[in-house]
Amino acid sequence: MYRVLKRELIVPNIHLLVIESELIHKNAHAGEFVVVRADERGERIPLNLVDWDRGSVSMVFMALGTSTYKLASLKVGDEIATLAGPLGKPTEKVQGKNIVCIGGCYGIGALYPAIRMFKEHKNHITTIIEARSRLLLYWQEELRKYSDEFYEITRDGSGGFKGHVNDFLINYIKKNKTDMVYVQGCTYLTYLVSQTTRPFNVKTIVGLNPIMVDATGMCGVCRVIVGGETKFGCVDGPEFDGHQVDWDTLLARRRVYLDKERYSLSFYECEKYG
Amino acid sequence: MAKKIIPEKTPMREQPPKERAKNYDEVPYGYSEKEAMQEARRCLQCKKPICIKGCPVEIDIPGFIRLIAEGDFRGATEKLKEKNVLPAVCGRVCPQEDQCEKICVLAKKYEPVAIGRLERFAADWERAHGESSVPKIPRSTGKKVAIIGAGPGGLTVAGDLIMKGHAVTIFEALHKPGGVLVYGIPEFRLPKAIVYREVDYLVKCGVVLIVDFIVGKTATIDQLLEDFDAIYIGTGAGLPWFMNIPGENLNGVYSANEYLTRSNLMKAYLFPEYDTPIVRGKRVAVIGGGNVAMDCARTALRLGADEVHNVYRRSRKEMPAREEEIHHAEEEGIIFDILTLPVKYIGDERNWVKKMECIKMRLGEPDASGRRRPVPIDGSNFITPIDTVVCAIGQSPNPLIPQTTPDLKIGKWGNIEVDPKTGKTSKKGCWAGGDVVRGGATVILAMGDARVAARSIDEYLKTGVWRADEG
Ligand SMILES: Cc1cc2nc3c(=O)[nH]c(=O)nc-3n(C[C@H](O)[C@H](O)[C@H](O)COP(=O)(O)OP(=O)(O)OC[C@H]3O[C@@H](n4cnc5c(N)ncnc54)[C@H](O)[C@@H]3O)c2cc1C
Ligand SMILES: Cc1cc2nc3c(=O)[nH]c(=O)nc-3n(C[C@H](O)[C@H](O)[C@H](O)COP(=O)(O)OP(=O)(O)OC[C@H]3O[C@@H](n4cnc5c(N)ncnc54)[C@H](O)[C@@H]3O)c2cc1C
Ligand code: SF4
Ligand code: FES
């Protein structure tokens, strides 16, 4: 069992979770993730590592379904059943490049360790975070600290640039030398950014989120097609070249359990709030 | 003088097929005391018992059987445990028909002694009649051993080395110990409580078990060697194979590992009480002819399938699954499509598998394995509707440890290479055995390897000599 040191709502529906661990920090790198299981009956779900130190690891998650709802109801001192990691391949370390880093929803948190690592390796970093509304943007201070340029985008115009990330990005790439784009967030965002950068031929690294079970390469549920080849997201990824990803298959495979997930959530809520 | 031999094994009562295909309870009930003693008396107590030669861990077979015949059931378990720390497991899943029972002298004319059933009986009797006491642990040697993987191999090494006074820590990647016994083999064939009890026993003896620890990620082998004097790698063969045919990434196409892990380890059969879902297909195709395929097919049935097809490219005779598993599957209504090979899965607009295209095969010349090679029959392709596919064609070792341990010598199939006499790898202080060395093999072979390695580890810890030629 692993003790909860902190669980707080950062912005509506997005939570910070800090769990006690003396082990995971030792080999942790940007781009890696952990597997958590809320309780003995819980599912194993992957969450990006957003920070770590000698005594803890931190994650940012969006409450979507049963597993994340369970995590969202944790209090300081509670325990979760599983915490395993770090998992996946670290973000590739590049040096002296102009990198645009883009994050949306939970991906804003997931950007944090990558930006920190890119900065250590002397890259020029342009950070873009996006959300429907200003109310859903967070960690501006933390991200600014490691960014050379910093932009906010809201679809409703309540803060920063009004509109969609692709419009902003096209403009930016046209005006500024961009060696690489790095994206964390939901599949729609990673897809959209990859499609946007493709005509400009700017290398685009995306953090994918296929369904996982063991996350050690044992089951193969996390298969994604990259460059025409089947890869296991948990061990060959989760970061891949967005221009090589077969997005149709990824999107379809993410929906395998849609009906069951809805049913599971209503069952959980019914049990909890009856 | 010759006692009259009863030609057949004492039958074991089982759940009726129709009933059991809907539940997860164990299929065979096991012998009663009376039945066990009756069966034990069939044993001739040979002077030179050849059955022992068929047992990879050399259990004193006539010895424990005699004790059962005499009604000394505790004595029988103790005799078993001298050589085998997991008799309740082996009595259920070992392929006795290819090992001890195959060469039992009775088998020449009659049915062999039901050695497996007797082994299971003795182990179950002990479970039902109270805790075996924790043995006296020798004084600490001050040496520390790390065991990677809590499968039957790792557990065996742990048991052997704790009894030599070494400090033993097991690191397991998943949240539960047991390896394939827990994530792979279904409850109806091997109740998980049996495995957990064996693990609890080791923990009581002082073995430290650390779960959620992925060696190669959480810490590498080299990092562990800073803290431990010796390492045993028993990480199994967890990397699932696919056939690389069109449509394998459609929704509804599973690897056996995913299907069984969801169902067994994550308890998806109890969804939604447990959170992990699984597709409950109505027409399921399971590809492959081994134990793994039989387990998947019988699981599909229990998850509510109307029709489960086992699709195998050779004939029934070549199926590598245990005879008992094939027999149970047949009884439960699994349909065997032999000499058939899938070539393509066909999906709908939502990416769900709907049909399977297969080709018929015939048997040609024997291949390297001595089995007749299946050859496709031109123009025999046919399409059949299907809504779930489970691919159970094999697996190889997981590359996580090889990738992060550059000086570990790896074979063609990603297996770790060892000296079979000692289990030593190419890396000083590291041993390996079981499926990570052999590829998918058996529980008892993993335990046999473990025994060999444990002896060698103990010797190394005592002498500090890795190789004889090393000054
Ligand atoms: C490598 C990796 C890293 C990840 N890191 C994070 C992270 O840092 N923070 C985080 O919040 N999530 C992360 N995810 C996604 C997270 O694992 C899932 O959101 C989680 O499994 C949802 O579980 P659930 O039971 O709460 O929801 P489910 O019941 O599984 O899903 C509820 C509903 O939400 C949909 N859904 C699930 N996940 C997503 C998603 N990511 N985007 C859009 N819709 C979705 C489902 O299709 C379903 O309709 C990561 C995934 C991977 C593979
Ligand atoms: C479905 C199925 C049915 C079977 N039926 C039978 C049968 O009836 N009879 C029979 O004799 N054999 C059967 N087998 C084969 C048998 O189960 C295996 O040969 C045996 O379990 C191998 O034991 P092992 O200890 O080598 O590895 P495993 O049992 O595979 O255990 C390895 C353990 O190591 C862990 N691990 C892996 N990588 C790491 C890492 N990097 N760090 C930490 N831990 C790690 C795994 O999570 C696992 O728990 C079956 C196998 C399957 C899959
Ligand atoms: S060979 Fe058969 S009859 Fe002889 S001792 Fe072994 S089990 Fe008994
Ligand atoms: S999650 Fe099982 S192999 Fe990737």
Side-chain angles (χ1 to χ4, degrees):
Chain A
M1 299 298 265
Y2 306 84
R3 211 152 60 93
V4 176
L5 299 179
K6 192 174 191 177
R7 203 276 311 148
E8 66 180 27
L9 190 71
I10 315 177
V11 291
N13 233 18
I14 293 190
H15 303 250
L16 171 69
L17 179 64
V18 185
I19 308 280
E20 188 171 52
S21 163
E22 290 174 3
L23 274 177
I24 293 177
H25 75 93
K26 288 185 189 158
N27 285 354
H29 304 89
E32 292 175 332
F33 63 94
V34 288
V35 159
V36 301
R37 204 163 54 105
D39 57 34
E40 273 311 315
R41 295 178 168 209
E43 215 176 344
R44 294 170 67 95
I45 65 159
L47 296 176
N48 276 86
L49 278 170
V50 302
D51 207 358
W52 51 89
D53 61 27
R54 298 177 139 272
S56 71
V57 291
S58 306
M59 288 79 78
V60 166
F61 69 90
M62 182 153 79
L64 275 174
T66 309
S67 308
T68 44
Y69 271 51
K70 281 182 173 178
L71 296 178
S73 69
L74 291 169
K75 296 182 293 296
V76 175
D78 286 352
E79 289 181 327
I80 62 169
T82 296
L83 171 71
L87 293 161
K89 283 211 161 80
T91 307
E92 199 189 326
K93 294 186 175 69
V94 291
Q95 213 125 34
K97 303 279 189 207
N98 294 320
I99 307 178
V100 174
C101 298
I102 303 172
C105 69
Y106 74 79
I108 297 177
L111 271 190
Y112 179 73
I115 291 181
R116 189 171 61 187
M117 182 277 288
F118 285 143
K119 193 71 217 164
E120 274 165 21
H121 289 79
K122 308 208 163 28
N123 295 287
H124 178 278
I125 293 161
T126 302
T127 299
I128 303 172
I129 58 174
E130 67 94 38
R132 214 168 53 242
S133 142
R134 198 178 129 79
L135 204 68
L136 299 170
L137 294 174
Y138 57 97
W139 282 17
Q140 286 92 336
E141 280 321 300
E142 288 84 345
L143 295 171
R144 259 203 187 98
K145 205 163 88 188
Y146 299 107
S147 307
D148 298 283
E149 297 175 47
F150 186 84
Y151 303 100
E152 292 168 291
I153 301 177
T154 54
R155 259 158 278 163
D156 65 3
S158 52
F161 177 85
K162 177 176 172 40
H164 280 281
V165 77
N166 46 342
D167 304 328
F168 184 90
L169 191 58
I170 290 173
N171 243 317
Y172 184 90
I173 297 179
K174 280 185 177 159
K175 289 191 196 129
N176 303 276
K177 180 175 176 293
T178 308
D179 301 312
M180 188 177 122
V181 174
Y182 177 88
V183 203
Q184 283 288 359
C186 66
T187 309
Y188 182 66
L189 178 72
T190 49
Y191 166 76
L192 185 69
V193 171
S194 300
Q195 295 310 80
T196 309
T197 56
R198 194 190 295 271
F200 298 95
N201 218 355
V202 176
K203 182 173 172 183
T204 301
I205 299 296
V206 291
L208 298 186
N209 51 16
I211 293 174
M212 294 187 181
V213 177
D214 60 297
T216 64
M218 184 268 273
C219 77
V221 63
C222 59
R223 332 202 261 293
V224 287
I225 306 175
V226 183
E229 262 184 70
T230 299
K231 303 271 183 191
F232 283 9
C234 65
V235 286
D236 301 323
E239 295 182 357
F240 291 102
D241 178 345
H243 296 159
Q244 302 284 326
V245 172
D246 175 343
W247 293 95
D248 290 338
T249 306
L250 178 72
L251 286 164
R253 287 186 62 80
R254 281 199 53 82
R255 285 194 289 263
V256 173
Y257 297 107
L258 205 62
D259 304 346
K260 298 214 166 48
E261 281 153 0
R262 287 200 193 112
Y263 181 53
S264 165
L265 183 60
S266 52
F267 181 84
Y268 168 66
E269 288 184 324
C270 185
E271 263 203 335
K272 191 163 182 206
Y273 307 108
Chain B
M1 54 135 266
K3 73 174 168 184
K4 193 166 169 299
I5 293 165
I6 304 166
E8 270 130 37
K9 288 181 179 178
T10 309
M12 180 146 72
R13 288 158 297 122
E14 292 180 345
Q15 270 199 78
K18 284 247 151 48
E19 214 168 282
R20 75 194 192 220
K22 294 194 197 78
N23 67 44
Y24 279 80
D25 299 337
E26 202 175 2
V27 170
Y29 291 125
Y31 281 157
S32 67
E33 293 186 4
K34 206 170 130 234
E35 288 163 338
M37 288 169 75
Q38 176 186 328
E39 179 63 19
R41 282 195 290 269
R42 290 184 65 228
C43 173
L44 301 179
Q45 294 295 321
C46 305
K47 287 247 156 49
K48 286 197 186 131
I50 47 171
C51 52
I52 298 184
K53 293 209 170 59
C55 174
V57 296
E58 299 177 357
I59 291 175
D60 178 358
I61 294 169
F64 95 84
I65 292 182
R66 197 192 63 241
L67 290 162
I68 292 179
E70 289 166 359
D72 180 1
F73 304 135
R74 191 169 301 276
T77 349
E78 275 159 17
K79 182 61 71 200
L80 277 168
K81 285 209 164 167
E82 282 171 13
K83 298 283 182 172
N84 183 340
V85 284
L86 305 172
V89 173
C90 292
R92 287 174 165 81
V93 305
C94 271
Q96 290 96 5
E97 68 275 18
D98 286 328
Q99 302 179 160
C100 51
E101 292 183 16
K102 184 177 178 181
I103 56 177
C104 164
V105 290
L106 284 189
K108 284 197 195 111
K109 275 178 108 174
Y110 313 106
E111 281 191 1
V113 175
I115 303 172
R117 293 175 184 175
L118 289 172
E119 182 180 20
R120 171 181 164 174
F121 164 78
D124 286 357
W125 187 92
E126 190 208 24
R127 276 202 309 145
H129 291 79
E131 269 316 284
S132 47
S133 54
V134 175
K136 201 167 155 333
I137 308 291
R139 220 173 46 158
S140 162
T141 60
K143 299 287 183 191
K144 292 166 73 181
V145 185
I147 289 165
I148 308 171
L155 296 174
T156 302
V157 178
D160 283 7
L161 291 179
I162 199 86
M163 294 314 297
K164 298 276 183 193
H166 309 301
V168 178
T169 307
I170 307 181
F171 295 96
E172 166 57 47
L174 294 171
H175 56 271
K176 289 254 165 37
V180 170
L181 307 181
V182 164
Y183 80 70
I185 301 181
E187 183 76 18
F188 56 82
R189 203 145 74 76
L190 176 64
K192 301 307 149 222
I194 290 176
V195 183
Y196 296 145
R197 185 173 183 273
E198 303 298 346
V199 175
D200 283 348
Y201 175 79
L202 289 176
V203 170
K204 271 191 210 142
C205 293
V207 171
V208 177
L209 172 70
I210 299 182
V211 293
D212 305 329
F213 194 110
I214 303 98
V215 176
K217 296 299 297 177
T218 314
T220 59
I221 295 266
D222 285 311
Q223 286 171 322
L224 289 178
L225 277 172
E226 291 167 17
D227 289 325
F228 292 90
D229 302 296
I231 292 186
Y232 180 81
I233 306 169
T235 45
L239 183 76
W241 292 350
F242 289 95
M243 293 171 65
N244 292 319
I245 59 175
E248 259 181 333
N249 291 321
L250 290 169
N251 295 358
V253 182
Y254 284 92
S255 75
N257 276 0
E258 183 194 350
Y259 199 65
L260 293 172
T261 302
R262 282 183 184 272
S263 169
N264 297 322
L265 181 72
M266 306 311 297
K267 298 221 182 312
Y269 66 91
L270 298 175
F271 180 87
E273 280 88 25
Y274 281 72
D275 298 346
T276 304
I278 193 164
V279 173
R280 290 174 177 259
K282 286 290 161 207
R283 272 179 71 88
V284 181
V286 176
I287 321 300
N291 287 327
V292 184
M294 298 306 130
D295 284 344
C296 292
R298 297 171 70 196
T299 297
L301 210 60
R302 284 160 176 79
L303 287 170
D306 295 331
E307 233 174 73
V308 180
H309 290 256
N310 179 259
V311 182
Y312 182 56
R313 63 192 178 133
R314 304 187 206 236
S315 78
R316 151 112 200 216
K317 211 173 101 226
E318 282 82 19
M319 279 196 175
R322 292 181 57 202
E323 187 51 42
E324 182 183 335
E325 304 313 324
I326 302 173
H327 171 70
H328 278 151
E330 252 170 358
E331 273 186 349
E332 288 169 14
I334 307 291
I335 302 159
F336 286 88
D337 299 344
I338 52 160
L339 291 166
T340 306
L341 181 77
V343 291
K344 183 179 179 184
Y345 304 113
I346 303 159
D348 64 8
E349 66 292 342
R350 289 165 52 245
N351 205 52
W352 278 89
V353 67
K354 287 289 165 218
K355 291 178 202 149
M356 167 172 81
E357 182 179 326
C358 296
I359 189 164
K360 295 297 280 180
M361 313 290 276
R362 62 180 176 78
L363 291 179
E365 294 303 307
D367 64 9
S369 72
R371 294 180 300 174
R372 293 174 64 190
R373 187 194 306 275
V375 189
I377 302 174
D378 277 340
S380 65
N381 295 44
F382 64 97
I383 290 179
T384 176
I386 223 82
D387 60 15
T388 309
V389 173
V390 184
C391 185
I393 59 161
Q395 57 263 334
S396 53
N398 187 311
L400 263 183
I401 289 183
Q403 276 166 4
T404 51
T405 321
D407 45 348
L408 202 58
K409 201 161 161 226
I410 302 301
K412 204 163 76 192
W413 304 103
N415 52 305
I416 299 181
E417 294 197 347
V418 299
D419 171 0
K421 288 199 291 295
T422 58
K424 282 178 183 167
T425 68
S426 60
K427 187 175 172 70
K428 188 174 175 183
C430 295
W431 284 254
D435 279 6
V436 72
V437 168
R438 298 171 178 268
T442 61
V443 171
I444 196 68
L445 287 172
M447 294 175 64
D449 289 354
R451 173 111 323 146
V452 168
R455 213 175 289 147
S456 168
I457 293 172
D458 181 50
E459 201 173 288
Y460 171 74
L461 293 177
K462 281 182 183 143
T463 62
V465 181
W466 175 248
R467 282 218 310 262
D469 54 2
E470 155 199 92

